[in-house]
Amino acid sequence: MTSIGGAEMVDWNLAVATATRFVRPGPDVSRDEARAVVTELRRHALASEEHVRSFTRMIPDGTAARDTPVLIVDRPGWVRANVAGFRELLKPLLDKMQERRAGTPGGAVLGAVGGKVTGVELGMLLSFLASRVLGQYETFAPASRDLPAGDPAQPGGEGGGRLLLVAPNIVHVERELDVDPHDFRLWVCLHEETHRTQFTGVPWLKDHLEGEIQAFLAETDVDPMTVLERFREAAQSLAGARPEGEAEEGGGRSIVELVQTPAQREILGRLTAVMSLLEGHADYVMDGVGPDVVPSVSEIREKFQQRRARGASRLDQALRKLLGLDAKLRQYRDGERFVRAVVDEVGMDGFNRVWTSPNTLPTKAEIAKPADWVARVHRKAES
């Protein structure tokens, strides 16, 4: 990454160290129990591949398994993996901010201080998130010795990436919900395997999504100190250092909303639609496969939905708003409704036309009105 006087916009190593230091400890498990959880998650991840393929019909029978590794990680492992992904994905934006800072008086000094500050604050945010994520398919993950990833150049590795399952978080939630742990672990694996199937079964999807994200970042025109201040607000919220009620000032804007231009709003609308589709499809599949392989799927879904609906503390709610996590929850709900409505209308094979090309992806408006997507993609094709 471009640097001034050896200082980067973000001290990534400090971000990892900070997050690792402040992340909450996982649930108490014995060494034997931990080994058993890891073994079972690996087995469920492997079984989920066939279940998801059969249900979605996105990948033809007989196609070789994809070379995308499954990594069972703890909370610090999730942090390291995501910092690597952030560093890769955000490089164009940070280089642009670095260039702007180079022309300001004292830019080198600002770089040395700002990189450390941002590293600490990013680490604080990641420590908050690391205890909440159950699993994740890392689409843009760079491979490293400790964190292997699929090779997009190899047969079966079209999407690259890697599948992460955060074992302590899965154990924590299954205990909190008081559900069958074996069923719950398989249920989580079904969701994450659906994401892997989406990206490895649709060759153009990764490049399309990356292009949209990079276009969004290229349109960003914001002073570096403004972004640093937004991170600072988030970190102060996490530490409980902000005055009561301050979190709602300014409309409670998220970090993403802060950097939007008119062009970005258009791109963000398309990205929101795609992410709603991907998340909703994963939720639909995990529940659709569930009755055949997860006996207690109805109980799990009901308790999981109640957990979401209960919300959290005021601090947690402020952070969710600031980080845009409320929008993430809406994507699950709205996307699942879209998928269910389309499958009910035209069947699974009819729904799978959504993966034909970027032009057949639903718009943000069509996510809310599935019949409009059916009319555009199906009736237009049949006329």
Side-chain angles (χ1 to χ4, degrees):
M1 184 176 294
T2 304
S3 61
I4 300 175
E8 296 182 348
M9 284 292 298
V10 179
D11 188 327
W12 298 104
N13 292 332
L14 185 57
V16 171
T18 301
T20 301
R21 177 182 177 185
F22 287 100
V23 69
R24 297 174 182 174
D28 290 331
V29 295
S30 68
R31 182 169 297 182
D32 288 343
E33 185 179 3
R35 288 197 189 103
V37 170
V38 170
T39 298
E40 184 172 23
L41 286 174
R42 290 192 184 281
R43 185 173 69 250
H44 284 333
L46 182 62
S48 293
E49 184 171 4
E50 183 57 36
H51 293 317
V52 171
R53 279 191 179 202
S54 177
F55 185 82
T56 64
R57 302 199 288 272
M58 290 179 63
I59 299 176
D61 292 339
T63 304
R66 280 89 67 194
D67 182 25
T68 50
V70 177
L71 306 181
I72 314 300
V73 298
D74 57 10
R75 290 168 179 176
W78 179 87
V79 168
R80 289 191 295 272
N82 276 265
V83 165
F86 288 156
R87 188 170 189 171
E88 184 77 12
L89 197 61
L90 296 177
K91 185 178 185 300
L93 172 62
L94 295 180
D95 281 350
K96 182 178 180 179
M97 294 170 66
Q98 190 92 25
E99 291 172 4
R100 171 178 288 195
R101 191 178 62 190
T104 63
V109 175
L110 177 63
V113 176
K116 297 291 185 184
V117 171
T118 309
V120 169
E121 292 171 348
L122 178 60
M124 292 292 290
L125 297 182
L126 287 171
S127 73
F128 169 79
L129 295 172
S131 62
R132 286 159 171 75
V133 177
L134 300 181
Q136 175 182 357
Y137 183 71
E138 281 200 300
T139 314
F140 311 110
S144 67
R145 183 181 63 183
D146 298 329
L147 294 165
D151 183 358
Q154 297 299 317
E158 294 88 346
R162 55 185 168 232
L163 183 61
L164 304 179
L165 295 169
V166 190
N169 295 351
I170 293 173
V171 172
H172 171 78
V173 174
E174 70 191 27
R175 290 179 177 179
E176 179 185 342
L177 298 181
D178 190 25
V179 294
D180 183 286
H182 309 293
D183 284 2
F184 184 75
R185 293 165 195 174
L186 177 55
W187 189 68
V188 171
C189 287
L190 289 169
H191 181 102
E192 303 308 331
E193 174 58 37
T194 303
H195 286 316
R196 179 161 64 164
T197 298
Q198 291 163 348
F199 282 96
T200 56
V202 184
W204 53 265
L205 183 58
K206 175 181 179 293
D207 289 342
H208 172 72
L209 189 59
E210 185 173 16
E212 291 281 60
I213 292 172
Q214 292 304 332
F216 180 88
L217 296 177
E219 287 289 332
T220 299
D221 185 20
V222 63
D223 180 77
M225 291 306 297
T226 306
V227 175
L228 294 181
E229 180 61 28
R230 186 59 62 178
F231 274 117
R232 184 169 297 110
E233 290 176 8
Q236 289 173 344
S237 291
L238 186 59
R242 301 182 68 188
E244 183 73 16
E246 188 177 321
E248 287 73 33
E249 289 184 6
R253 293 179 301 172
S254 71
I255 292 173
V256 171
E257 291 170 331
L258 177 73
V259 297
Q260 284 185 54
T261 65
Q264 282 181 308
R265 282 193 287 272
E266 292 185 13
I267 299 170
L268 192 62
R270 296 195 298 269
L271 280 170
T272 298
V274 173
M275 297 310 297
S276 296
L277 170 69
L278 299 180
E279 296 294 357
H281 183 234
D283 261 13
Y284 179 81
V285 171
M286 73 194 294
D287 287 345
V289 173
D292 292 330
V293 298
V294 182
S296 60
V297 63
S298 297
E299 178 191 1
I300 290 173
R301 168 55 73 184
E302 181 180 358
K303 289 185 174 181
F304 198 77
Q305 294 288 52
Q306 289 173 353
R307 181 176 182 266
R308 282 180 179 172
R310 281 196 303 268
S313 67
R314 185 171 183 176
L315 170 61
D316 194 60
Q317 291 171 350
L319 275 168
R320 287 180 179 277
K321 175 62 179 177
L322 192 61
L323 298 175
L325 298 182
D326 285 344
K328 177 79 168 178
L329 294 178
R330 287 195 297 273
Q331 286 169 5
Y332 287 105
R333 180 194 64 210
D334 297 344
E336 196 274 341
R337 288 175 180 170
F338 170 84
V339 175
R340 185 174 301 279
V342 172
V343 173
D344 287 347
E345 178 72 17
V346 296
M348 183 62 75
D349 291 332
F351 165 78
N352 281 339
R353 288 195 189 181
V354 78
W355 313 116
T356 304
S357 75
N359 292 330
T360 56
L361 290 172
T363 65
K364 188 176 179 180
E366 287 171 341
I367 288 289
K369 296 182 177 180
D372 290 352
W373 180 86
V374 172
R376 177 172 68 86
V377 173
H378 280 265
R379 295 180 187 141
K380 182 178 179 181
E382 294 165 359
S383 60

